[in-house]
Amino acid sequence: RVGCLTPRAIMPARVRSIGARLPAARIHSRSLFLPGLSAKGQKYRTFEQQKVVQFPVPTIYGAVSDVARYADFLPWCTASRVLERRQADGPGGPEPGAHAAEPGASEELLTEVEVGYMGLAARFGSTVTLLRDRRVHSVSEPNEFLDSLNFTWEFAPIGPNRARIDLRLDFELKNVEHVLMWDTLQDRVVGEYLSCFQRRCAQLQQRDAAGGVGGVGG
């Protein structure tokens, strides 16, 4: 009778001896790791970018600090309003219960900005602290998408016609899916955001060169 031939029976002896010396194969499980998606603080993000622009500090500061005009040149901004404007270092300091201004701040704005992007719409109520030609710092109230949002622009001159921008964004989203969306699109979104401000600066310079009213109110 013919017996069954097993793989070991038909394998040459030399191959069997080599195979015996090889370590057993290991199966590795691979998990997808996304930066920041840890069990602790998985919805929190920090984004920083430094950029040199071909505009003097007063021009880029003017564009960034003119929140009321955001809807005129930011593509995802559908409405922008300054609800209140006050001197941050006024006599007697802030009113009781009011937001404490930063030391040296020249002006404080209470603003409301509405944004729509990829089918999402949100309203941001913020306190914006202005340090003229040096810093714009915004702290937003929580909304349906965000638990926190802090936005800081810092400006430094590089000669008379160029400036360095240091941009920092700190925020915590409510939904992990929106965190994944941000991780995928952040470079595109921030790149377009900065490009919009640079185009706005070019518009302001052209208007001023043509004899228009100075400043950022046009």
Side-chain angles (χ1 to χ4, degrees), residues 62-189:
V64 174
S65 63
D66 192 17
V67 180
R69 298 284 180 175
Y70 279 8
D72 294 345
F73 63 92
L74 293 179
W76 308 303
C77 181
T78 57
S80 53
R81 295 173 287 274
V82 175
L83 306 178
E84 184 179 345
R85 185 185 298 266
R86 60 190 178 222
Q87 293 299 313
D89 293 333
E95 297 179 1
H99 174 80
E102 297 180 12
S106 59
E107 196 171 17
E108 191 173 80
L109 313 178
L110 300 183
T111 67
E112 188 173 78
V113 173
E114 297 179 22
V115 175
Y117 184 69
M118 295 186 66
L120 303 176
R123 179 177 298 175
F124 298 86
S126 306
T127 299
V128 182
T129 306
L130 308 178
L131 185 59
R132 188 169 185 83
D133 291 343
R134 290 175 57 188
R135 192 168 188 254
V136 175
H137 179 61
S138 175
V139 179
S140 296
E141 301 169 355
N143 62 20
E144 61 268 38
F145 297 107
L146 288 158
D147 284 326
S148 64
L149 172 62
N150 295 339
F151 218 128
T152 304
W153 299 74
E154 293 186 334
F155 311 95
I158 304 178
N161 297 311
R162 296 196 303 164
R164 190 191 74 208
I165 299 172
D166 288 278
L167 179 65
R168 181 182 174 96
L169 175 63
D170 297 283
F171 64 95
E172 186 171 5
L173 289 158
K174 293 181 181 290
N175 191 320
V176 173
E177 292 181 359
H178 296 158
V179 176
L180 299 178
M181 184 184 298
W182 165 259
D183 288 340
T184 301
L185 300 174
Q186 62 177 350
D187 291 333
R188 172 185 168 189
V189 171

Side-chain angles (χ1 to χ4, degrees), residues 21-41:
R21 296 196 297 269
L22 293 177
R26 296 181 180 178
I27 300 176
H28 294 275
S29 61
R30 183 182 180 186
S31 60
L32 177 64
F33 174 75
L34 295 173
L37 283 184
S38 60
K40 181 179 180 181

Side-chain angles (χ1 to χ4, degrees), residues 73-76 187-197 199:
F73 63 92
L74 293 179
W76 308 303
D187 291 333
R188 172 185 168 189
V189 171
V190 175
E192 179 61 20
Y193 188 70
L194 290 173
S195 295
C196 287
F197 279 102
R199 288 193 290 268

